[in-house]
Amino acid sequence: MATNKKPRVADLKLDANEPSLLFAMQQMLSTGGVDFKEWWEHWEEGYNERDDKKSNFKIKEWRKVGERPAYIEITPSRKNGGVKSIEYIPNKKNPKVSFMCSGTDAQIINQIVQIEHFQIAAGVDCLSGKNSKPPLKGFPLIKLTFYQSYDDTKKRADGTRKSPTRGIKYIRMPGFTDDQSVVDFGLAQLIKPGDVSKWAKGILNTFALPDLYKWDKGKNVISYTGVIARLQGLEGWAYCTNENEGKKLFAAMLTAVGKKVDPLGFNFSGNTEPAKKFAPGKPTKKLLGQEWDADEFRPTDTVIFSRADLWLPKVGSSIPLVQGTALMYKN
């Protein structure tokens, strides 16, 4: 029966032409096959040779002079495990905000890109030229769905009823995440069952009890914007019949997740001749032997709260919170 022999030191010795090959292999492993310094030159400058017309990120905004990123090499001289460690500073003007990155050069590059990405999602520093406000995409999302009562739906030319008018509103939850890597970078806290339960109960008590919430959709528009609105995860707009109706809707959404309204965040607008601009479409000809009604643009209808669901981006699934007057999520 064959036995495994313990290797001898002599067996591990390299021929005269092999040390350079071993060194090359070690370099390949420690760098991941990339040139970090060359990459950094482009990253620090913001790839200013690119076509600004095709890019969301404008060099004058994304890499302002004096606010460009920096890094400090902090790799221990001994016992570094064959990896490099740096302290990454996204903005030179704010050196107190820094992140530890460690690994091969390729892994560190990936970590830096993730830091920049999650800073955008959290609303820090980097701005897009096409949309000057960084997106909140990436944080958990609460979806509120409203439907018009079937008995209130309008009739078509043939006497059948149209589909009920629907209303949908979204609430982002900045500061929470279902992505452990975001937590590891200290950019948000991991979402817990207690958090979800709290939101579900808040929505139930605000939109379902004692009666289902009614939202009067109309031809006017109210928006809720500003720094506070963004940090609350509720910057957006809604169609409404009047200003008070719109303010009431946003106030209810904020109350449901334990936040309060910024009274200076509202803007209200409406067309000067809504009856003409948003006149309901009328059948003008027959198609396939019958008359057809065009859908009404910005219908004035009352929609009633139907359900609330929580979307987790990383997990890629939806969790029912409330349906009608029933609490669906029970911790």
Side-chain angles (χ1 to χ4, degrees):
M1 182 176 177
T3 58
N4 293 326
K5 297 175 62 176
K6 185 177 180 181
R8 300 171 301 169
V9 175
D11 296 331
L12 301 177
K13 288 183 178 181
L14 297 172
D15 293 335
N17 63 336
E18 289 185 329
S20 59
L21 176 61
L22 177 62
F23 177 77
M25 293 175 62
Q26 290 174 334
Q27 284 293 99
M28 179 66 73
L29 291 173
S30 65
T31 64
V34 301
D35 188 327
F36 180 82
K37 290 185 178 180
E38 182 178 347
W39 173 85
W40 179 262
E41 289 179 4
H42 293 287
W43 177 258
E44 183 182 17
E45 293 176 357
Y47 302 94
N48 56 8
E49 71 274 13
R50 70 184 185 278
D51 186 353
D52 265 8
K53 294 180 181 179
K54 297 180 180 179
S55 173
N56 288 331
F57 297 95
K58 307 305 177 184
I59 182 64
K60 292 181 180 179
E61 296 171 350
W62 192 48
R63 285 288 184 263
K64 294 179 181 178
V65 177
E67 296 183 8
R68 295 182 178 183
Y71 72 90
I72 303 171
E73 183 88 36
I74 56 175
T75 306
S77 57
R78 296 180 180 178
K79 298 182 180 181
N80 61 14
V83 301
K84 180 165 70 176
S85 298
I86 68 167
E87 185 173 355
Y88 177 66
I89 304 168
N91 187 336
K92 290 180 181 179
K93 283 190 175 181
N94 192 9
K96 291 185 178 180
V97 177
S98 62
F99 302 88
M100 174 77 76
C101 299
S102 187
T104 66
D105 284 357
Q107 290 172 333
I108 290 177
I109 289 172
N110 183 55
Q111 291 167 27
I112 290 174
V113 172
Q114 287 190 55
I115 290 171
E116 208 75 43
H117 168 74
F118 290 124
Q119 282 205 129
I120 291 174
V124 180
D125 284 336
C126 299
L127 300 178
S128 166
K130 290 185 178 178
N131 181 358
S132 60
K133 296 173 182 177
L136 292 173
K137 183 179 180 180
F139 290 116
L141 176 72
I142 294 176
K143 177 183 178 181
L144 305 175
T145 305
F146 304 76
Y147 280 106
Q148 180 186 26
S149 170
Y150 181 77
D151 293 335
D152 294 333
T153 56
K154 298 178 177 64
K155 292 185 178 181
R156 299 186 182 92
D158 63 1
T160 60
R161 290 187 179 275
K162 292 186 175 183
S163 299
T165 299
R166 185 180 67 167
I168 293 179
K169 295 307 299 175
Y170 298 103
I171 308 172
R172 287 283 181 185
M173 303 308 296
F176 294 91
T177 183
D178 60 332
D179 190 337
Q180 185 61 48
S181 65
V182 180
V183 177
D184 293 340
F185 281 117
L187 299 173
Q189 58 180 300
L190 191 65
I191 190 170
K192 300 177 181 177
D195 301 318
V196 181
S197 179
K198 180 180 178 180
W199 300 334
K201 291 177 181 177
I203 292 169
L204 179 74
N205 293 328
T206 305
F207 287 97
L209 300 176
D211 301 303
L212 294 175
Y213 185 95
K214 295 181 179 180
W215 165 17
D216 292 335
K217 296 190 72 176
K219 306 184 188 310
N220 298 308
V221 179
I222 192 165
S223 63
Y224 183 60
T225 61
V227 175
I228 294 176
R230 268 193 93 57
L231 295 176
Q232 290 174 326
L234 199 58
E235 188 171 47
W237 51 270
Y239 293 131
C240 55
T241 52
N242 55 62
E243 183 176 353
N244 288 334
E245 180 64 25
K247 287 183 176 180
K248 184 181 75 170
L249 175 63
F250 278 99
M253 288 191 286
L254 288 164
T255 298
V257 292
K259 300 172 183 177
K260 62 181 182 179
V261 167
D262 171 20
L264 302 180
F266 289 110
N267 294 285
F268 181 77
S269 65
N271 190 268
T272 56
E273 296 189 69
K276 293 182 179 179
K277 183 174 179 62
F278 307 116
K282 296 181 180 180
T284 57
K285 62 180 180 179
K286 288 186 176 181
L287 179 63
L288 300 179
Q290 73 178 85
E291 293 182 326
W292 295 83
D293 282 330
D295 289 332
E296 185 178 358
F297 184 49
R298 294 193 191 181
T300 300
D301 291 322
T302 297
V303 292
I304 305 170
F305 174 75
S306 174
R307 61 180 297 120
D309 301 276
L310 175 66
W311 172 258
L312 298 178
K314 183 69 175 181
V315 175
S317 64
S318 186
I319 300 175
L321 300 180
V322 178
Q323 184 166 349
T325 58
L327 182 67
M328 303 301 291
Y329 185 86
K330 299 176 182 179
N331 181 20

Short mmCIF file of all heavy atoms in Angstrom, two decimals, residues 40-41 43-46 48 59-60 62-71 88-94:
data_model
loop_
_atom_site.label_atom_id
_atom_site.label_comp_id
_atom_site.label_asym_id
_atom_site.label_seq_id
_atom_site.Cartn_x
_atom_site.Cartn_y
_atom_site.Cartn_z
N TRP A 40 -5.53 54.14 -10.50
CA TRP A 40 -5.76 55.26 -9.59
C TRP A 40 -5.64 56.61 -10.29
O TRP A 40 -6.40 57.53 -10.00
CB TRP A 40 -4.80 55.20 -8.40
CG TRP A 40 -5.01 56.36 -7.47
CD1 TRP A 40 -4.31 57.53 -7.43
CD2 TRP A 40 -6.02 56.47 -6.48
NE1 TRP A 40 -4.81 58.36 -6.47
CE2 TRP A 40 -5.88 57.74 -5.87
CE3 TRP A 40 -7.04 55.63 -6.04
CZ2 TRP A 40 -6.71 58.18 -4.85
CZ3 TRP A 40 -7.87 56.07 -5.02
CH2 TRP A 40 -7.70 57.32 -4.44
N GLU A 41 -4.71 56.73 -11.20
CA GLU A 41 -4.54 58.00 -11.93
C GLU A 41 -5.83 58.39 -12.64
O GLU A 41 -6.25 59.55 -12.59
CB GLU A 41 -3.39 57.87 -12.94
CG GLU A 41 -2.01 57.81 -12.30
CD GLU A 41 -0.92 57.65 -13.34
OE1 GLU A 41 -1.26 57.67 -14.55
OE2 GLU A 41 0.26 57.50 -12.96
N TRP A 43 -8.88 57.13 -11.93
CA TRP A 43 -9.95 57.24 -10.94
C TRP A 43 -9.89 58.59 -10.23
O TRP A 43 -10.92 59.24 -10.03
CB TRP A 43 -9.81 56.10 -9.93
CG TRP A 43 -10.82 56.15 -8.82
CD1 TRP A 43 -10.62 56.59 -7.55
CD2 TRP A 43 -12.18 55.72 -8.88
NE1 TRP A 43 -11.77 56.47 -6.82
CE2 TRP A 43 -12.74 55.94 -7.61
CE3 TRP A 43 -12.97 55.18 -9.89
CZ2 TRP A 43 -14.07 55.64 -7.33
CZ3 TRP A 43 -14.30 54.87 -9.60
CH2 TRP A 43 -14.83 55.11 -8.34
N GLU A 44 -8.72 59.02 -9.84
CA GLU A 44 -8.55 60.28 -9.11
C GLU A 44 -8.99 61.47 -9.97
O GLU A 44 -9.63 62.40 -9.48
CB GLU A 44 -7.09 60.46 -8.69
CG GLU A 44 -6.84 61.72 -7.87
CD GLU A 44 -5.37 61.88 -7.53
OE1 GLU A 44 -4.53 61.21 -8.18
OE2 GLU A 44 -5.08 62.66 -6.62
N GLU A 45 -8.67 61.42 -11.26
CA GLU A 45 -9.02 62.52 -12.15
C GLU A 45 -10.48 62.48 -12.61
O GLU A 45 -11.02 63.48 -13.04
CB GLU A 45 -8.11 62.49 -13.39
CG GLU A 45 -6.65 62.78 -13.08
CD GLU A 45 -5.78 62.63 -14.31
OE1 GLU A 45 -6.32 62.25 -15.37
OE2 GLU A 45 -4.57 62.90 -14.21
N GLY A 46 -11.10 61.31 -12.50
CA GLY A 46 -12.49 61.20 -12.92
C GLY A 46 -12.65 60.85 -14.37
O GLY A 46 -13.68 61.16 -14.96
N ASN A 48 -11.35 62.07 -17.13
CA ASN A 48 -11.74 63.31 -17.81
C ASN A 48 -11.58 63.27 -19.32
O ASN A 48 -11.90 64.24 -20.00
CB ASN A 48 -10.95 64.50 -17.25
CG ASN A 48 -9.45 64.30 -17.32
OD1 ASN A 48 -8.98 63.34 -17.93
ND2 ASN A 48 -8.70 65.17 -16.69
N ILE A 59 -17.27 65.77 -15.03
CA ILE A 59 -15.99 65.91 -14.34
C ILE A 59 -15.99 67.10 -13.39
O ILE A 59 -15.39 67.06 -12.32
CB ILE A 59 -14.84 66.03 -15.38
CG1 ILE A 59 -13.49 66.13 -14.69
CG2 ILE A 59 -15.06 67.21 -16.30
CD1 ILE A 59 -13.11 64.91 -13.90
N LYS A 60 -16.66 68.18 -13.75
CA LYS A 60 -16.65 69.37 -12.90
C LYS A 60 -17.40 69.15 -11.61
O LYS A 60 -17.18 69.87 -10.63
CB LYS A 60 -17.25 70.56 -13.67
CG LYS A 60 -16.39 71.02 -14.84
CD LYS A 60 -17.03 72.21 -15.55
CE LYS A 60 -16.18 72.66 -16.72
NZ LYS A 60 -16.77 73.80 -17.45
N TRP A 62 -18.19 65.68 -10.37
CA TRP A 62 -17.79 64.42 -9.73
C TRP A 62 -16.38 64.45 -9.19
O TRP A 62 -16.07 63.78 -8.21
CB TRP A 62 -17.95 63.30 -10.75
CG TRP A 62 -17.86 61.92 -10.15
CD1 TRP A 62 -18.52 61.48 -9.05
CD2 TRP A 62 -17.09 60.84 -10.63
NE1 TRP A 62 -18.20 60.17 -8.81
CE2 TRP A 62 -17.33 59.74 -9.76
CE3 TRP A 62 -16.22 60.65 -11.71
CZ2 TRP A 62 -16.74 58.52 -9.95
CZ3 TRP A 62 -15.65 59.42 -11.90
CH2 TRP A 62 -15.90 58.37 -11.02
N ARG A 63 -15.51 65.23 -9.83
CA ARG A 63 -14.13 65.31 -9.38
C ARG A 63 -13.68 66.77 -9.33
O ARG A 63 -12.86 67.22 -10.12
CB ARG A 63 -13.21 64.52 -10.32
CG ARG A 63 -13.33 63.00 -10.14
CD ARG A 63 -12.69 62.56 -8.83
NE ARG A 63 -12.71 61.11 -8.68
CZ ARG A 63 -13.62 60.45 -7.99
NH1 ARG A 63 -14.62 61.11 -7.42
NH2 ARG A 63 -13.55 59.14 -7.87
N LYS A 64 -14.28 67.52 -8.43
CA LYS A 64 -13.90 68.92 -8.28
C LYS A 64 -12.46 69.03 -7.79
O LYS A 64 -12.01 68.23 -6.97
CB LYS A 64 -14.83 69.63 -7.29
CG LYS A 64 -16.27 69.73 -7.78
CD LYS A 64 -17.14 70.42 -6.76
CE LYS A 64 -18.59 70.50 -7.22
NZ LYS A 64 -19.45 71.13 -6.20
N VAL A 65 -11.75 70.03 -8.29
CA VAL A 65 -10.37 70.25 -7.85
C VAL A 65 -10.37 70.52 -6.35
O VAL A 65 -11.12 71.33 -5.84
CB VAL A 65 -9.74 71.44 -8.60
CG1 VAL A 65 -8.34 71.70 -8.08
CG2 VAL A 65 -9.70 71.16 -10.10
N GLY A 66 -9.49 69.83 -5.64
CA GLY A 66 -9.43 69.97 -4.18
C GLY A 66 -10.32 69.02 -3.43
O GLY A 66 -10.19 68.85 -2.22
N GLU A 67 -11.27 68.39 -4.15
CA GLU A 67 -12.19 67.46 -3.50
C GLU A 67 -12.03 66.04 -4.06
O GLU A 67 -12.89 65.20 -3.90
CB GLU A 67 -13.64 67.92 -3.70
CG GLU A 67 -13.92 69.27 -3.05
CD GLU A 67 -15.38 69.68 -3.19
OE1 GLU A 67 -16.19 68.85 -3.65
OE2 GLU A 67 -15.70 70.82 -2.84
N ARG A 68 -10.93 65.81 -4.72
CA ARG A 68 -10.70 64.50 -5.31
C ARG A 68 -10.30 63.49 -4.22
O ARG A 68 -9.90 63.86 -3.13
CB ARG A 68 -9.63 64.60 -6.39
CG ARG A 68 -10.09 65.47 -7.56
CD ARG A 68 -9.06 65.55 -8.65
NE ARG A 68 -9.56 66.34 -9.78
CZ ARG A 68 -8.89 66.55 -10.91
NH1 ARG A 68 -7.69 66.02 -11.06
NH2 ARG A 68 -9.42 67.27 -11.87
N PRO A 69 -10.40 62.21 -4.52
CA PRO A 69 -10.10 61.19 -3.51
C PRO A 69 -8.60 61.06 -3.25
O PRO A 69 -7.76 61.54 -4.01
CB PRO A 69 -10.66 59.92 -4.13
CG PRO A 69 -10.56 60.16 -5.60
CD PRO A 69 -10.85 61.63 -5.78
N ALA A 70 -8.29 60.40 -2.17
CA ALA A 70 -6.89 60.14 -1.80
C ALA A 70 -6.85 58.82 -1.05
O ALA A 70 -7.88 58.28 -0.64
CB ALA A 70 -6.35 61.27 -0.95
N TYR A 71 -5.63 58.30 -0.88
CA TYR A 71 -5.50 57.10 -0.06
C TYR A 71 -4.16 57.11 0.66
O TYR A 71 -3.20 57.76 0.23
CB TYR A 71 -5.66 55.81 -0.89
CG TYR A 71 -4.51 55.47 -1.80
CD1 TYR A 71 -3.45 54.67 -1.35
CD2 TYR A 71 -4.46 55.93 -3.11
CE1 TYR A 71 -2.39 54.34 -2.18
CE2 TYR A 71 -3.41 55.61 -3.95
CZ TYR A 71 -2.38 54.81 -3.48
OH TYR A 71 -1.32 54.49 -4.30
N TYR A 88 -8.92 54.62 2.43
CA TYR A 88 -9.45 55.38 1.30
C TYR A 88 -10.23 56.59 1.79
O TYR A 88 -11.11 56.49 2.64
CB TYR A 88 -10.36 54.48 0.45
CG TYR A 88 -11.01 55.20 -0.71
CD1 TYR A 88 -10.24 55.70 -1.76
CD2 TYR A 88 -12.39 55.38 -0.76
CE1 TYR A 88 -10.83 56.36 -2.83
CE2 TYR A 88 -12.99 56.03 -1.83
CZ TYR A 88 -12.20 56.52 -2.86
OH TYR A 88 -12.79 57.19 -3.91
N ILE A 89 -9.91 57.76 1.24
CA ILE A 89 -10.57 59.02 1.60
C ILE A 89 -11.30 59.53 0.35
O ILE A 89 -10.67 60.00 -0.60
CB ILE A 89 -9.53 60.06 2.07
CG1 ILE A 89 -8.71 59.49 3.24
CG2 ILE A 89 -10.21 61.37 2.46
CD1 ILE A 89 -7.49 60.32 3.59
N PRO A 90 -12.63 59.45 0.31
CA PRO A 90 -13.37 59.86 -0.88
C PRO A 90 -13.21 61.34 -1.25
O PRO A 90 -13.27 61.69 -2.42
CB PRO A 90 -14.83 59.55 -0.52
CG PRO A 90 -14.74 58.49 0.52
CD PRO A 90 -13.51 58.84 1.32
N ASN A 91 -13.02 62.20 -0.24
CA ASN A 91 -12.92 63.64 -0.49
C ASN A 91 -11.79 64.22 0.34
O ASN A 91 -11.82 64.18 1.57
CB ASN A 91 -14.26 64.31 -0.13
CG ASN A 91 -14.30 65.77 -0.51
OD1 ASN A 91 -13.27 66.44 -0.64
ND2 ASN A 91 -15.50 66.30 -0.68
N LYS A 92 -10.79 64.79 -0.32
CA LYS A 92 -9.64 65.34 0.39
C LYS A 92 -10.03 66.44 1.38
O LYS A 92 -9.36 66.65 2.38
CB LYS A 92 -8.62 65.92 -0.61
CG LYS A 92 -7.88 64.88 -1.44
CD LYS A 92 -6.91 65.56 -2.39
CE LYS A 92 -6.17 64.56 -3.25
NZ LYS A 92 -5.24 65.22 -4.20
N LYS A 93 -11.10 67.16 1.07
CA LYS A 93 -11.53 68.24 1.94
C LYS A 93 -12.19 67.73 3.23
O LYS A 93 -12.43 68.50 4.15
CB LYS A 93 -12.51 69.15 1.20
CG LYS A 93 -11.84 70.10 0.21
CD LYS A 93 -12.84 71.14 -0.29
CE LYS A 93 -12.15 72.17 -1.17
NZ LYS A 93 -13.11 73.20 -1.66
N ASN A 94 -12.50 66.46 3.25
CA ASN A 94 -13.14 65.88 4.43
C ASN A 94 -12.36 64.63 4.85
O ASN A 94 -12.85 63.51 4.75
CB ASN A 94 -14.59 65.52 4.11
CG ASN A 94 -15.39 65.19 5.36
OD1 ASN A 94 -14.94 65.38 6.48
ND2 ASN A 94 -16.59 64.67 5.17
#
